[in-house]
Amino acid sequence: MPEYSGSNRIIIAPAVLLCLLCFSSCVSAAPTYAPTEGKNPLPVYFTFPGGEECDKVLWTFGDGNTSSALTTDHTYHSLGIYYPKCECELPGANISYTYDYVYVIPWSSSIRDSVTGGKPSQVRVNRSSENLGAESLKKQAEGLAAIGEMKHAADAYADLQKTSDLDYDTLTTYGDVLTGLGRLSEAEVVFKEALATNETAPVMKKLADVLFSLGKTSEAIDVMNQTLILSPQDAAAYGTYAGFLQKAGKTTEALDAYNQSFRLSDNQPQLWSEYAGILTSIGRIEQAAGAYEHAINLGSSGSDVWNSYSRVLQKLGRKDEAQRAKEQAMNTYTPISSSMFGSNDNIPTCGIGSLC
């Protein structure tokens, strides 16, 4: 393991940092099924993650049969194309899902590649807060969040806040929903409201991350400083703190924060890779090579890591090792799949019983 490079202890300045959350689009927990096609008789597995928050769930399989189970198997016994549906009922809300099809065919080979199973082709949400009490509206908001309908969940939480004072847990969840939607300025306000009721390290970390993403780096560092005072053994928080400090141009303090994080938990391959990148940027190439090697030994194996490792080895004149690292980078490179941008996965034009 490479030696730590930095001071032996870290002094928490009026600035400390927190893990950087990905504010990507929220992943919907929509009901799905698999397989989408197969030989008759065809058993299909239906599941609804998050559906336990629904007052009622109804699967309609398209062959005259239904089920109210969250997770169920259903077997199709006749050739044909079937169009399943699913519904979730919440106080003041109904969510309906429609799908492309289930295709029951007379042969075993697959025409349509569907690794992830059937996903909804359309989702309709009918929601109202009219005549709902605080408890019912809270259940509506929680249910919408649980099934991944974050925009509607945010609307429900906003309506709830107009009718009653929200407690710490509800405010925290509301802040998470706003964060997931990228509505960071609103999330900042809500997290601060939560902290006014209960000052905790987890919500401070969320607030710091939001502030950092809004470009309020100094304020984010201040909040992270308070977080680490409350949670001084949080290795991940020190790692995030290091990233904030680096963004603020405080390289020496950032290196100290990385080292403190490693002392608390060495097994952080991604963090070791980031640490190596900083060392490279300030010309500490030998230490950077050791950090990249350690990151790889811990399990970091993406093409970016191997390419970076190859470059520092090249700078050190270790050409054979640099070439081997370059070859590893080529072996681990994953091209962008067209499936990441959608699918041309349409219903086959051939008729049932044909060989396509």
Side-chain angles (χ1 to χ4, degrees), residues 23-350:
F23 295 128
S24 57
S25 301
C26 295
V27 178
S28 176
T32 60
Y33 63 88
T36 57
E37 71 162 32
K39 185 178 180 179
N40 182 45
L42 177 64
V44 179
Y45 177 75
F46 295 82
T47 184
F48 193 171
E52 60 274 3
E53 296 297 328
C54 301
D55 289 337
K56 179 182 177 182
V57 170
L58 179 65
W59 286 100
T60 303
F61 300 121
D63 62 354
N65 293 295
T66 63
S67 174
S68 59
L70 295 179
T71 298
T72 185
D73 293 308
H74 178 69
T75 300
Y76 293 87
H77 293 281
S78 299
L79 299 178
I81 298 177
Y82 301 92
Y83 301 94
K85 298 179 181 179
C86 187
E87 290 189 16
C88 164
E89 290 186 8
L90 291 165
N94 176 272
I95 304 88
S96 61
Y97 304 86
T98 55
Y99 301 84
D100 288 338
Y101 65 88
V102 172
Y103 191 24
V104 184
I105 54 181
W107 54 83
S108 299
S109 60
S110 176
I111 298 171
R112 185 185 192 211
D113 184 16
S114 182
V115 177
T116 59
K119 297 179 181 179
S121 58
Q122 186 176 42
V123 181
R124 291 183 178 177
V125 179
N126 293 315
R127 187 200 76 84
S128 173
S129 58
E130 189 175 351
N131 299 322
L132 290 183
E135 283 303 312
S136 293
L137 192 49
K138 180 180 178 182
K139 180 171 177 54
Q140 181 194 96
E142 291 173 342
L144 289 165
I147 63 175
E149 294 300 327
M150 298 302 181
K151 180 181 180 301
H152 297 285
D155 292 342
Y157 278 117
D159 289 344
L160 177 60
Q161 195 168 35
K162 295 173 184 176
T163 65
S164 62
D165 293 330
L166 304 188
D167 59 27
Y168 166 83
D169 289 334
T170 304
L171 285 166
T172 300
T173 304
Y174 184 20
D176 289 340
V177 168
L178 292 169
T179 299
L181 289 169
R183 292 160 58 176
L184 302 185
S185 295
E186 295 171 76
E188 176 189 352
V189 172
V190 172
F191 284 139
K192 286 180 176 178
E193 290 175 353
L195 289 169
T197 67
N198 188 12
E199 197 170 87
T200 66
V203 175
M204 281 188 176
K205 291 169 73 173
K206 294 173 188 285
L207 174 60
D209 192 51
V210 166
L211 291 168
F212 184 74
S213 295
L214 288 170
K216 301 178 180 181
T217 305
S218 295
E219 191 176 347
I221 289 174
D222 289 341
V223 173
M224 277 306 303
N225 184 49
Q226 299 174 55
T227 303
L228 289 176
I229 291 172
L230 292 176
S231 184
Q233 301 302 310
D234 190 337
Y238 273 104
T240 307
Y241 179 39
F244 288 4
L245 291 168
Q246 182 184 359
K247 178 68 174 179
K250 301 179 179 182
T251 303
T252 300
E253 292 174 64
L255 291 173
D256 283 343
Y258 277 118
N259 286 325
Q260 180 66 7
S261 180
F262 296 142
R263 291 186 189 96
L264 293 169
S265 176
D266 180 71
N267 189 17
Q268 302 183 79
Q270 179 60 39
L271 202 63
W272 274 104
S273 179
E274 294 172 9
Y275 178 57
I278 294 184
L279 293 171
T280 302
S281 69
I282 60 176
R284 290 157 69 167
I285 306 302
E286 188 74 46
Q287 291 173 323
Y292 277 125
E293 182 179 357
H294 192 55
I296 290 167
N297 289 338
L298 289 174
S300 184
S301 59
S303 60
D304 288 345
V305 174
W306 281 108
N307 274 321
S308 297
Y309 185 35
S310 176
R311 284 192 289 270
V312 297
L313 291 171
Q314 189 73 33
K315 289 180 180 180
L316 291 170
R318 295 156 60 178
K319 295 183 179 180
D320 290 344
E321 294 174 79
Q323 180 59 36
R324 287 195 292 270
K326 191 70 175 178
E327 290 170 0
Q328 284 288 349
M330 294 295 292
N331 291 336
T332 57
Y333 173 71
T334 303
I336 297 175
S337 170
S338 61
S339 64
M340 294 175 65
F341 303 98
S343 172
N344 295 322
D345 212 10
N346 298 315
I347 296 176
T349 56
C350 53

